[in-house]
């Protein structure tokens, strides 16, 4: 073997291509490029496997460009890509790598674009066509795409094309191409179905496999946050505020509606955010990505499909707001950061019931995901104060304050005020729109909720003493606690423990904030903080105990008053007795529940 390739000029590429690469600023060929380019230049077929973000585009585009005859204006290279976004991205890459090749033309063709425009563009001619399978088939059938002079075919992101159901179309296209051609197949993974296609249509291919998970992913700092649904938004904004190296983020959610809702909420909180989903027109989607690139936007909230393959180097953070369903999706998602050799951050939100998915991802990627400690309210305030001081120091340093000194001197004289008090008043004014302190909510800080290891169940808490019970009575009397009704009762075999567990886990309400629970035949009442947000209530409405949706709502006065039922029989931990009593009250004592003493 020869020495490893460390510079592009060690590859036998034409001078204009090397000049373009120098201008773009690529220093060394990535491993997949170093391994594939010599084979492709020598005319071999290639079966290339490497993770996303490893530079597969240039691995095929550079040698393809090298072989293009600019004098002939008919398609010599065809690249098939799974989505419109990727087709456009690959076409853009060709354009950049060919910037020193005057007269070069690349044309992306994909569904959704006007046929008339496409036909005109095809008539004008292009050296390289990058298209999605369906649209390429259309044009071959209409004979608007003449591939008689095709010398190179590339199947890009083959596994994705398989996943999206394009494999038959791809085979159809393969059967309609000149037999004398070079074929390169690139994929992040190599499922059997892809391997079969490769064996059928590639001639004695050189197989190049770049070991997964180490090259790109090791530059991505992966962390997870244990957080329940209703607290995710607060957690997200807190993370955005305190991450030191934040530049731009892609936030992944599961549904199209969630992209819209979350983007709106972030916008309302002052972030330059927008959504990206499959319902948006191609034009809109491209605009969003362009705005992310040019810093008009800092946050894009996206679904997996819409964000596939996005390549915006300034993305410093990928937030998995909703955990992905499988490891592959996770790897694709976090590959949107740490691009082009930069460091990246991936933060995964894990709801209590999703812990197994976290472990599954860790196992499959063979990389531990670190626990992220959410900073406390105080830590956030400290950070804001530090930034404020910095700003003040900069003004003191750089600005001419003569006029303002006079204004202050005037105030001092007129109000006979202490100069410190005046300064404090000004600081108050300066932070009014973006307060330095985080508001007290009366609820536990999400930093506490998010701390610590995943808890599959509500934690056993210290026993409540009589004083705490009295305090809770007072909270109830004074309206800090309210009584809610849930549609789960004894006939559903529910125990107070089940109910506390569900409420604690689903809504992230610590069990010490959950008061008295009264079980009735087909419903129960439970004391919870009176100021539960709508988000929390919505989650609790859907939460289930023993297969039964809680459907939580404020108890009506009659239900609320029914708390003084007779104490039920059976001691701590006793199984539910049959036949069920009509009603019974329990005062919670630690993790267990004891029959409530009749009130005296
Ligand atoms: P893949 O197709 O494997 O997911 P891409 O071809 O989209 O990866 O490349 C990922 C990023 O890396 C792009 O931003 C690209 O410009 C950049 N890149 C590719 N090759 C190099 C290189 N040799 N040096 C630096 N950056 C590179
Ligand atoms: Mg790619």
């Amino acid at each position: 073997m020869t020495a490893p390739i460390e510079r592009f000029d060690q590859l036998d590429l034409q001078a204009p291509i090397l000049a373009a690469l120098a201008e773009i600023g690529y220093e060394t060929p990535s491993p997949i490029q170093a391994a594939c380019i010599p084979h492709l230049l020598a005319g071999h077929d290639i079966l290339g496997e490497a993770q996303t973000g490893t530079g597969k585009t240039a691995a095929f585009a550079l040698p393809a460009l090298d072989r293009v005859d600019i004098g002939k204006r008919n398609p010599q290279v065809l690249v098939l890509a799974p989505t419109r976004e990727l087709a456009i991205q690959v076409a853009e890459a060709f354009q950049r790598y060919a910037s020193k090749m005057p007269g070069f033309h690349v044309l992306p063709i994909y569904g959704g674009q006007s046929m008339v425009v496409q036909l005109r563009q095809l008539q004008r001619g292009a050296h390289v066509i990058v298209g999605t399978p369906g649209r390429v088939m259309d044009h071959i059938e209409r004979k608007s795409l003449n591939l008689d002079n095709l010398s190179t075919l590339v199947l890009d992101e083959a596994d994705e094309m398989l996943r999206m159901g394009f494999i038959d179309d791809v085979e159809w296209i393969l059967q309609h191409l000149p037999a004398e051609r070079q074929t390169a197949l690139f994929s992040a993974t190599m499922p059997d179905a892809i391997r079969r296609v490769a064996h059928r249509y590639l001639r004695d291919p050189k197989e190049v496999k770049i070991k997964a998970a180490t090259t790109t992913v090791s530059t991505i700092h992966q962390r997870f946050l244990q957080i329940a649904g209703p607290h995710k938004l607060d957690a997200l904004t807190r993370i955005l505020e305190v991450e030191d190296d934040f530049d731009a983020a892609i936030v992944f959610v599961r549904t199209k509606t969630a992209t819209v809702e979350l983007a709106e909420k972030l916008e309302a909180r002052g972030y330059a955010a927008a959504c990206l989903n499959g319902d948006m027109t191609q034009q809109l989607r491209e605009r969003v990505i362009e705005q992310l690139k040019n810093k008009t936007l800092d946050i894009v909230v996206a679904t997996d499909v819409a964000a596939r393959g996005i390549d915006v180097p300034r993305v410093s953070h990928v937030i998995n707001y909703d955990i992905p369903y499988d490891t592959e999706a996770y790897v694709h998602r976090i590959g949107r950061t740490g691009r082009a050799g930069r460091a990246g951050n991936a933060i995964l939100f894990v709801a209590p019931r999703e812990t197994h998915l976290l472990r599954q991802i860790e196992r499959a990627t063979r990389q531990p995901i670190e626990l992220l400690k959410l900073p406390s309210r105080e830590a956030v305030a400290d950070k804001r104060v530090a930034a404020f001081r910095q700003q003040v120091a900069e003004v003191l340093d750089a600005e001419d304050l003569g006029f303002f000194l006079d204004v202050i001197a005037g105030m001092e004289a007129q109000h006979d005020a202490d100069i410190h008090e005046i300064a404090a008043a000004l600081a108050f004014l300066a932070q009014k729109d973006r307060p330095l302190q985080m508001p007290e909510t009366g609820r536990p800080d999400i930093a506490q909720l998010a701390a610590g290891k995943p808890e599959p169940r509500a934690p056993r808490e210290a026993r409540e003493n009589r004083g705490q019970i009295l305090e809770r009575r007072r909270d109830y009397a004074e309206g800090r606690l309210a009584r809610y009704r849930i549609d789960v009762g004894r006939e559903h075999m529910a125990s107070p423990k089940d109910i506390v567990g569900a409420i604690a886990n689903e809504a992230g309400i610590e069990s010490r904030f959950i008061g008295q629970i009264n079980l009735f035949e087909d419903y129960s009442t439970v004391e919870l903080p009176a100021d539960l947000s709508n988000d929390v209530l919505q989650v609790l409405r859907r939460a289930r105990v023993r297969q039964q949706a809680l459907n939580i709502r404020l108890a009506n006065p009659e239900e609320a008053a029914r708390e003084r039922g007779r104490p039920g029989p059976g001691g701590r931990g006793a199984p539910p007795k049959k036949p069920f009593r009509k009603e019974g009250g329990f005062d919670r004592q630690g993790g267990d529940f004891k029959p409530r003493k009749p009130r005296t």
Side-chain angles (χ1 to χ4, degrees):
M1 275 302 297
T2 40
I5 295 168
E6 282 167 0
R7 298 186 320 271
F8 278 102
D9 60 14
Q10 290 171 282
L11 297 165
D12 198 11
L13 293 163
Q14 291 174 32
I17 299 177
L18 293 176
L21 291 175
E23 193 172 282
I24 295 167
Y26 290 180
E27 283 169 358
T28 43
S30 70
I32 187 86
Q33 292 161 4
C36 291
I37 292 173
H39 288 316
L40 287 168
L41 286 174
H44 295 293
D45 282 5
I46 280 274
L47 188 55
E49 180 180 348
Q51 245 191 309
T52 76
T54 49
K56 293 191 286 296
T57 317
F60 61 77
L62 300 177
L65 277 176
D66 194 80
R67 294 159 56 107
V68 160
D69 180 349
I70 299 287
K72 290 193 194 139
R73 229 179 137 89
N74 41 29
Q76 299 159 48
V77 179
L78 171 65
V79 181
L80 293 179
T83 63
R84 299 181 280 195
E85 281 83 0
L86 286 174
I88 290 170
Q89 209 164 285
V90 169
E92 281 173 359
F94 267 99
Q95 200 67 63
R96 282 203 299 159
Y97 301 145
S99 64
K100 308 279 186 234
M101 297 170 64
F104 170 79
H105 258 79
V106 56
L107 181 62
I109 55 174
Y110 43 82
Q113 202 186 22
S114 138
M115 254 306 177
V116 182
V117 173
Q118 252 171 36
L119 289 170
R120 198 179 320 130
Q121 287 171 330
L122 280 167
Q123 227 148 40
R124 243 181 260 141
H127 303 98
V128 175
I129 305 282
V130 188
T132 51
R135 197 41 83 97
V136 168
M137 261 176 88
D138 274 2
H139 283 293
I140 294 178
E141 280 189 313
R142 287 169 177 247
K143 307 217 185 306
S144 43
L145 179 58
N146 179 348
L147 296 171
D148 291 347
N149 286 309
L150 191 81
S151 57
T152 303
L153 171 74
V154 180
L155 304 177
D156 191 19
E157 314 254 355
D159 54 350
E160 205 55 52
M161 292 203 275
L162 172 72
R163 228 190 320 278
M164 296 179 70
F166 294 150
I167 205 70
D168 294 341
D169 295 0
V170 169
E171 288 206 56
W172 186 93
I173 294 168
L174 279 161
Q175 288 156 6
H176 285 76
L177 296 181
E180 260 321 295
R181 57 152 205 270
Q182 181 181 44
T183 308
L185 185 157
F186 285 91
S187 202
T189 57
M190 205 54 76
D192 285 344
I194 297 293
R195 214 165 259 290
R196 271 199 298 279
V197 170
H199 284 305
R200 195 165 324 147
Y201 298 97
L202 273 57
R203 288 166 317 178
D204 193 18
K206 301 282 178 193
E207 292 200 27
V208 174
K209 178 172 176 166
I210 304 297
K211 283 261 175 330
T214 44
T215 39
T216 350
V217 176
S218 67
T219 66
I220 301 176
H221 185 194
Q222 299 180 60
R223 286 165 289 170
F224 78 93
L225 182 70
Q226 184 76 43
I227 193 92
H231 300 300
K232 282 183 179 179
L233 180 61
D234 281 344
L236 175 61
T237 53
R238 204 175 288 191
I239 287 170
L240 294 175
E241 182 161 358
V242 296
E243 285 282 293
D244 282 325
D245 45 359
F246 181 80
D247 189 3
I250 299 184
V251 179
F252 282 96
V253 293
R254 280 196 185 144
T255 63
K256 294 172 196 169
T257 24
T259 63
V260 179
E261 282 170 14
L262 183 57
E264 276 171 4
K265 285 180 182 162
L266 288 170
E267 265 196 296
R269 284 166 174 73
Y271 291 96
C275 61
L276 187 71
N277 64 51
D279 280 352
M280 292 160 63
T281 64
Q282 180 58 21
Q283 232 176 357
L284 264 177
R285 285 202 249 173
E286 279 160 35
R287 203 174 73 198
V288 167
I289 293 171
E290 189 49 45
Q291 287 178 329
L292 188 64
K293 279 186 187 157
N294 69 26
K295 305 196 177 186
T296 312
L297 285 174
D298 293 327
I299 301 176
V300 167
V301 185
T303 52
D304 285 312
V305 176
R308 189 162 290 145
I310 287 182
D311 179 31
V312 179
R314 69 179 280 255
V315 171
S316 58
H317 286 70
V318 164
I319 313 280
N320 285 287
Y321 195 84
D322 295 333
I323 199 166
Y325 292 115
D326 58 30
T327 310
E328 252 174 62
Y330 178 78
V331 171
H332 276 290
R333 283 177 175 192
I334 75 169
R336 300 310 110 220
T337 183
R339 307 291 290 180
R342 300 191 194 191
N345 293 277
I347 297 174
L348 176 64
F349 285 9
V350 184
R353 288 187 177 183
E354 296 165 343
T355 313
H356 67 286
L357 290 170
L358 168 70
R359 301 294 165 232
Q360 195 176 304
I361 291 170
E362 278 186 317
R363 266 199 307 278
T365 58
R366 302 228 179 94
Q367 293 207 322
I369 305 180
E370 236 174 76
L371 175 72
L372 169 70
K373 287 257 195 305
L374 203 59
S376 65
R377 279 192 193 114
E378 293 73 32
V380 175
D382 286 350
K383 184 134 185 155
R384 291 179 185 172
V385 169
F388 181 65
R389 281 186 176 174
Q390 177 69 29
Q391 270 182 322
V392 173
E394 276 164 21
V395 171
L396 285 173
D397 249 15
E399 302 289 337
D400 177 4
L401 296 172
F403 170 78
F404 300 95
L405 283 169
D406 287 346
V407 173
I408 299 297
M411 281 179 159
E412 202 182 1
Q414 193 185 351
H415 301 292
D416 192 22
D418 180 63
I419 200 78
H420 289 104
E421 280 171 353
I422 295 178
L426 291 173
F428 172 81
L429 282 176
Q431 55 96 64
K432 235 172 135 190
D433 290 335
R434 290 211 63 197
L436 293 176
Q437 292 168 297
M438 298 198 80
E440 254 312 320
T441 57
R443 270 172 264 142
D445 189 4
I446 50 167
Q448 282 172 300
L449 297 177
K453 286 277 166 207
E455 286 275 3
R457 270 299 187 188
R460 279 183 161 248
E461 51 187 324
R463 282 175 170 276
E464 277 187 324
N465 59 34
R466 182 144 188 85
Q468 285 170 309
I469 293 172
L470 287 175
E471 193 181 334
R472 233 183 34 229
R473 296 283 120 241
R474 200 165 48 237
D475 281 347
Y476 186 67
E478 290 171 7
R480 281 186 294 277
L481 278 178
R483 193 167 288 278
Y484 294 83
R485 178 202 149 109
I486 55 179
D487 282 356
V488 180
R490 300 180 145 188
E491 71 179 24
H492 309 109
M493 310 286 283
S495 72
K497 216 169 178 171
D498 295 333
I499 294 170
V500 173
I503 293 175
N505 285 335
E506 296 295 323
I509 299 174
E510 271 182 78
S511 57
R512 68 191 160 95
F513 293 94
I514 304 173
Q516 195 185 46
I517 294 174
N518 292 325
L519 280 178
F520 300 103
E521 193 62 29
D522 58 352
Y523 74 99
S524 308
T525 61
V526 47
E527 285 175 351
L528 293 171
D531 60 348
L532 291 182
S533 70
N534 276 334
D535 283 348
V536 173
L537 286 173
Q538 217 165 29
V539 168
L540 282 179
R541 268 194 283 278
R542 287 191 299 258
R544 282 167 186 275
V545 167
R546 309 251 157 194
Q547 318 299 337
Q548 191 70 17
L550 293 188
N551 195 20
I552 196 167
R553 55 197 181 276
L554 273 174
N556 65 36
E558 191 190 319
E559 288 160 350
R562 270 185 85 188
E563 65 169 311
R564 286 151 201 272
R566 306 235 126 243
R572 303 172 45 184
K577 289 264 192 293
K578 280 182 196 171
F580 293 123
R581 300 194 142 246
K582 260 247 169 299
E583 38 184 77
F586 294 82
D587 244 340
R588 302 199 42 228
Q589 304 231 333
D592 298 314
F593 300 88
K594 270 194 166 174
R596 197 167 52 78
K597 294 244 160 58
R599 226 161 262 268
T600 43

